[in-house]
Structures are given as C-alpha cells and as structure tokens.
Amino acid sequence: MEFHTAGVIGGGAWGTALAQSAAAAGLAVVLQAREPEVIESIRSRRMNDAFLPGIELDAAINVTPDLADLADCDLILAVPPAQHMRATLTAFAPYARPGLPIVLCAKGIERGSLKLMTEVLAETIPSATPAVLSGPSFAAEVARGLPSAVTVACEDEDMAVALATALSGPVFRPYLADDLIGAETGGALKNVLAIACGIVEGRELGRSAHAAVITRGFAEIVRVAQALGGKAETVAGLCGLGDLVLTCSSPQSRNMSLGLALGQGMSVEQALAGKRSVAEGYESAPAVRELTRKLGVETPICEAVAAVLAGETTVDAAIEALLTRPLKPERE
C-alpha cells in the first residue's frame, strides 16, 4: 500500500505545518483553506502570512478553497479545530470514497455530544478508515523542519504502517499505535491541563507546583483514557505524556499562554482578545468536565480549569480548593 498524494483540510498553523511536512516526505499536497487571505498569500508568496508568517512553503503544496479538489487524494489529514470537525467532515463527505484513510489531527472533545473526533468521523463519513495523528509538535517548529516525533494510531496495522511510512520525513518521525481512544484522550485533555500550568506560571507558584500539575494532570489523562476503553501505555507515550510535557512547558502553546494571562490577573475575555488561533483547551474544557462527570472519573485539575473559564470561581479560589483536597494514595 503506497500513498502519493495527501489532502490537508484546514489552512491554520497546524494544517499548514502538516502540509509542509507531508511535502518534505515526498507527497504531492493539496491544502484546503477557507480564508481568502491565506490562499492568496500562499499562491503569491509561498507563505501563510496569517498563521505561519516568515516560513516559506514547499512548492509541492497546492492551495485551494474547494474541498472537491481533495477528492482524488490518497489520504486526508483533517485539521480543522475540534469544534468545527463535524461540519468540516460533513462538507467533505460527498467527495470521500469508501475506505479513504482520514487522519484526524485535531485535539478535543465535541461540545454537546461529548464525542471524540473518531466518533464524529464515524457519524459523518462511516465508510472512511479512521486514524489519529497526535504528539508533541509545535506547528512553527514542524514547518521549519525541526525534528519531531508523533503517534499515528490506526486499528488496521497495515494501514498504520502505510500512513507512517508516507508521512515520515527526514526530521518527522511517526510511531505506530492501534489505540485510537488513548491517542485522542491524551490530546484532548492536555490542552485543558496546559491552561492550568499557565496559571501556575502566571501566579509564580514555582517549578515544584508546575511539575505537580503535569504529573497529577497525567494521572487524570490515564483515568479518563481507561474509562473510555483506551490503554494506559498509549497515553504514556508521545500522544499523551509527550504532548502534555510540551504543551505545559512553553508559552508557544496557545493554551499555556491563555493560562499565563489568567494567572497574571487578566479576565478570560481579556486573555482571549485579539487571538486569531483557537486555544482548544478553552473550547474543550466544558466538554471534558461534562464527559468526566458522566464517566464518574475524578479530574480535579480539569474541573478547576473549567470552573475558572466559566467564571464560576476565581483563580485563587481554584488553587486553594486543589491544595485542600483530602489526602489520598498517589495511584488514585
């Protein structure tokens, strides 16, 4: 099984970076973007000035506003924001042939339905072959050709190998997994937890507190993944722990920068003002809270972040509540 062409749905920073990486791997790439200014800047200057300024894009990337232009691609990378995944896949469904591999690259839980992106795909394009790409990877670094490693998860082992082989480039290294739920859970919760780490940084609570949030946050990811039917060993890899460490450790992360602003005393509205790119943790936090309550799984850090974002509590009150929770064994 060989792939020669890749369609990328979504002309934001991550979609453009994946298009760049796929081109570097030797694939002919068709990048679909909604924004006219993105299409114009890529066509005229080979740059996505709106989302990845200053990075020259590979000549093998063709940009289009029309999803129909992706109909003949061998594989699809679906990279819209998680809350727009359903509408995007519904629009693409008429052009998707049976068995088409669709690699889901958005991280989040759909609000309202509380579904993972693979569940959204199953409802919108049931004939597709689902896969998930997730891992510690900042868009600008991937687009510039800096080394990175990700998880590619697919239940079909042969398809997983074929996808990883097609997407692997000189500095972009996919590792294989068969656990879609675990791969998705890590990506969905780490964005919420990154907001918590940003708050810790903004409040200047120290590196010890920062490490504690990452570690106890990872425990929340494991509990949720297992409750959904995923594997602890999956989230212990790149798509869980690796992504969590990266997103919680750099203000390059939109989610951590949101938390940083909140920790420094800004309101949610002030912290989000003027931001063009989506902080997925802000969008997913209410869904994460609702889902974990439905599952009966304790996620006190994610709960605290959701409460702060909803204006139900203050940053200081949320911190105090976390620090005064009853003592318990670390494994719980």
Side-chain angles (χ1 to χ4, degrees), residues 138-151:
F138 283 144
E141 294 180 354
V142 171
R144 293 204 310 268
L146 298 178
S148 58
V150 297
T151 298

Side-chain angles (χ1 to χ4, degrees), residues 197-218:
C197 278
I199 290 173
V200 167
E201 291 293 308
R203 272 292 190 269
E204 297 183 352
L205 299 181
R207 306 312 298 171
S208 300
H210 185 268
V213 170
I214 291 177
T215 308
R216 296 308 302 163
F218 177 65

Side-chain angles (χ1 to χ4, degrees), residues 60-84:
I61 300 172
N62 293 308
V63 64
T64 178
D66 194 346
L67 286 168
D69 291 338
L70 281 63
D72 293 329
C73 291
D74 297 331
L75 67 94
I76 298 294
L77 301 175
V79 205
Q83 304 310 319
H84 298 281

